[in-house]
Amino acid sequence: MLQQIEGSRAVAEMVALCRPEVVCAYPISPQTHIIEALGAKVKRGDLAPCEFINVESEFAAMSVAIGASATGARVYTATASQGLLFMIEAVYNAAGLGLPVVMTLANRAIGAPINIWNDHSDAMAARDTGWVQLFAETNQEAADLHAQAFRLAEAVSLPVMVCMDGFILTHAIERVDLPSQEQVDAFLPGYRPRQLLDPAEPVSIGAMVGPEAFTEVRYLAHVRQLEALERIPEIAAEFCGHFGRCSGGLLRPYRLDGAELVVVALGSVLGTIKDTVDALRDEGARVGVLGITTFRPFPAEAVRAALADVRRVVVVEKAFSIGHGGVLTADVAGTVSDRAVPVATVVAGLGGRPITRASLRPVFQAAAAGRLEPLTFLDLDREVVERELARMASRHRSGPTAENVLRDLGAAGSKIL
Amino acid sequence: MFQVRVHGRGGQGVVTAAELLSVAAFADGRWAQAFPSFGSERTGAPVVAFCRIGDTEIRTREPVTEPDALIVQDATLLQQVNLFAGLRPDGYVLLNSARRLEELGLAELLGRLRRDRVRAVPATDLALQHTGRPVPNAVLLGGFAAISQVVSLEAVITAIRGRFRGPVADGNVAAATDAYRLVGRTEESRIHAPAD
């Protein structure tokens, strides 16, 4: 049924329709509304026999998720930012143990300096954990991806992280079509674990593995991710058939026909990028967009095919590897490395800075004309940066720069001298 | 696409106002997107929320910097925040105030906007009268429906009843309907609260 609903609520409704048996989470902005809504449903008995387990930290949340999943329960949790970092050891374990946990990551920046707003630093910090990482463009897709995530997780025995932009999606109220219980039941059958903890038949999982087998175990984890790469489009196609709308899959190409410049991005910024590109197309520019829905496993072959006739690529990223540059850029560049296709990075939207059409437009125009630097920070305040650089040059001292920058901007910040 | 920016203070239901407006537009069969500006919201601190309304899917996620309409829930913000930044020359302004626009020091603003598109309505008074609580958000949406014609009063009522129950819903519907009538019928900048 079509509803005008907050993104977090829509995700909670969809997760509930997926009949989780254990929900365990620790609250952290901007994930809280999802967990509050699910907690209320469990308390009302709407999700019986689901158990909502209050935990004392994110580390406990993922540890409980691991334990519950190992007993054969369908498990859901959600986190963001520092919460993800706090649970990161267990995040790796969930993947290493092959447990089909589904987790929403309400993408948020990582400190210091502390920042509650949106970017993709948290998702990038979990890039190599062995989890599948899917990115939602809209709240409709965020909801839909959760049904697909449970299907995929249980099909390939891997945990799946659904990334949705914190606040921008989680707190946005927009149109979402939520399916009926019957529809979801038909798409997502009950979880049948390959192996489960049972006191009657004791097994141990998470055994120690030495140098004689660790490489093979890791290689097999890679093979399993590649298997996910095959299953994701199949599940997305099946979803299309069941629900009459298409969500998920590997990539989301937009106006690639005849495109000489293609803008690549993850998540909700694709909407603003598409509007920007539409305006440029109207003026005759040959620009297209490639949304990456599946970030891990990385769909290299599909990206290579999508960029086959392209002359230039711009990757808009809400995170970057400090001291290096774009994270997604490196993956994308690998797919065109056999051709002379420049791949530029535009770092944008860090810590919640709005990404506007007005700022994107000249960047895309510069890229189309071959004038874009390999690494650009969108809307960077050069003046503030230069002043702090001058201070750093004149006086060598350790410690943070954030307070100086805030003082330059006239914002409230503690003084450190 | 029609873009609205709602200004108010923490505790006045600014975010809820934007949400209700989007639900009203949805009830009218349109596409809508509402979202808050995310900050460290505290009671009394200036808060902004946004709503876009259109006939096709709304894809952009950036804040509204060039609004077609402003809803100002607290007139004391006039001295504190640059409320009118980016407002289009043919834009609408709906202010929560029992005072005349001229008394609010808005002569300059009135000079550059269309006079029939700027209104004050005593939304807090109406809210107190009908709900007993000084929360003007839902009331102003009734006035907004009248001034802008972007959403119908029926849709605003649907949105209010979808969000609230019992006497709170009834009171807000009555107050929003009063605001709709007041804004709709007056050609004056001053709209007297029935209690005046």
Side-chain angles (χ1 to χ4, degrees), chain A residues 2-4 117 137-139 167-169 171-175 254 268 271-272 274-275 278 354-357, chain B residues 1 3 15 19 22-23 26 29-36 38-40 52 57-63:
Chain A
L2 270 183
Q3 294 184 48
Q4 183 76 8
W117 291 269
E137 180 177 336
T138 63
N139 280 332
F167 295 111
I168 296 171
L169 288 183
H171 288 54
I173 292 120
E174 57 189 34
R175 187 185 284 207
Y254 180 76
S268 68
T272 310
K274 285 175 181 175
D275 279 0
D278 276 358
I355 301 176
T356 65
R357 285 165 289 177
Chain B
M1 185 163 59
Q3 306 189 94
V15 178
E19 175 177 351
S22 84
V23 172
F26 174 77
R30 308 188 72 192
W31 290 81
Q33 173 201 61
F35 57 105
F38 320 105
S40 307
R52 291 191 170 96
E57 182 180 6
I58 295 160
R59 297 185 302 197
T60 188
R61 301 280 172 188
E62 65 189 89

Side-chain angles (χ1 to χ4, degrees), chain B residues 29-106:
Chain B
R30 308 188 72 192
W31 290 81
Q33 173 201 61
F35 57 105
S37 81
F38 320 105
S40 307
E41 284 87 359
R42 304 171 304 277
T43 302
V47 177
V48 185
F50 310 99
C51 182
R52 291 191 170 96
I53 298 169
D55 294 318
T56 54
E57 182 180 6
I58 295 160
R59 297 185 302 197
T60 188
R61 301 280 172 188
E62 65 189 89
V64 172
T65 51
E66 293 178 352
D68 297 288
L70 292 174
I71 298 175
V72 182
Q73 296 194 167
D74 190 321
T76 64
L77 288 167
L78 288 168
Q79 282 77 44
Q80 198 178 351
V81 178
N82 186 11
L83 298 175
F84 305 103
L87 178 65
R88 298 166 55 89
D90 58 348
Y92 299 85
V93 178
L94 183 65
L95 270 164
N96 173 20
S97 178
R99 298 169 67 189
R100 293 175 62 88
L101 293 168
E102 289 75 8
E103 294 172 47
L104 293 168
L106 294 174

Side-chain angles (χ1 to χ4, degrees), chain A residues 102-116:
Chain A
V102 170
M103 174 162 72
T104 309
L105 186 66
N107 297 111
R108 164 182 155 182
I110 287 172
I114 193 163
N115 177 294
I116 65 163

Side-chain angles (χ1 to χ4, degrees), chain A residues 296-342:
Chain A
R296 283 294 179 273
F298 187 70
E301 282 311 315
V303 172
R304 189 192 312 278
L307 299 179
D309 303 318
V310 168
R311 292 180 55 198
R312 298 175 196 284
V313 177
V314 171
V315 184
V316 176
E317 301 208 43
K318 288 187 174 184
F320 75 109
S321 172
I322 297 170
H324 173 62
V327 183
L328 177 59
T329 303
D331 297 344
V332 172
T335 69
V336 292
S337 57
D338 53 338
R339 297 187 292 139
V341 174

Side-chain angles (χ1 to χ4, degrees), chain A residues 88-106:
Chain A
I88 197 77
E89 181 184 346
V91 170
Y92 273 86
N93 283 334
L97 295 170
L99 296 171
V101 176
V102 170
M103 174 162 72
T104 309
L105 186 66

Side-chain angles (χ1 to χ4, degrees), chain A residues 133-368:
Chain A
Q133 288 183 302
L134 310 175
F135 277 81
E137 180 177 336
T138 63
N139 280 332
Q140 180 70 65
E141 189 165 56
D144 293 347
L145 282 178
H146 283 82
Q148 298 186 35
F150 280 110
R151 265 293 295 274
L152 176 69
E154 291 164 12
V156 295
S157 234
L158 278 178
V160 178
M161 193 182 294
V162 178
C163 300
M164 66 187 293
D165 283 312
F167 295 111
I168 296 171
L169 288 183
T170 56
H171 288 54
I173 292 120
E174 57 189 34
R175 187 185 284 207
V176 179
D177 194 357
L178 286 168
S180 67
Q181 186 65 66
E182 293 69 34
Q183 281 178 298
V184 176
D185 286 348
F187 175 74
L188 179 67
Y191 173 37
R192 290 218 192 100
R194 298 178 184 187
Q195 175 194 33
L196 53 80
L197 291 182
D198 179 358
E201 287 181 63
V203 293
S204 70
I205 65 169
M208 184 161 171
V209 171
E212 76 286 356
F214 200 78
T215 302
E216 287 70 26
V217 170
R218 276 289 173 267
Y219 175 77
L220 289 166
H222 180 61
V223 168
R224 206 183 276 190
Q225 280 258 335
L226 297 184
E227 187 193 338
L229 212 46
E230 303 292 321
R231 298 305 302 274
I232 288 166
E234 294 168 11
I235 290 171
E238 219 180 297
F239 185 93
C240 255
H242 267 83
F243 297 91
R245 64 169 178 279
C246 297
S247 290
L250 300 176
L251 302 175
R252 190 63 46 81
Y254 180 76
R255 301 193 82 166
L256 288 188
D257 285 353
E260 293 179 357
L261 169 70
V262 167
V263 182
V264 182
L266 298 161
S268 68
V269 72
L270 284 162
T272 310
I273 291 174
K274 285 175 181 175
D275 279 0
T276 311
V277 161
D278 276 358
L280 290 169
R281 277 273 184 179
D282 289 346
E283 295 160 23
R286 302 175 74 173
V287 192
V289 185
L290 185 63
I292 308 277
T293 309
T294 301
F295 175 59
R296 283 294 179 273
F298 187 70
E301 282 311 315
V303 172
R304 189 192 312 278
L307 299 179
D309 303 318
V310 168
R311 292 180 55 198
R312 298 175 196 284
V313 177
V314 171
V315 184
V316 176
E317 301 208 43
K318 288 187 174 184
F320 75 109
S321 172
I322 297 170
H324 173 62
V327 183
L328 177 59
T329 303
D331 297 344
V332 172
T335 69
V336 292
S337 57
D338 53 338
R339 297 187 292 139
V341 174
V343 181
T345 305
V346 176
V347 178
L350 296 185
R353 178 165 298 184
I355 301 176
T356 65
R357 285 165 289 177
S359 293
L360 288 175
R361 180 185 164 84
V363 170
F364 296 167
Q365 285 173 320

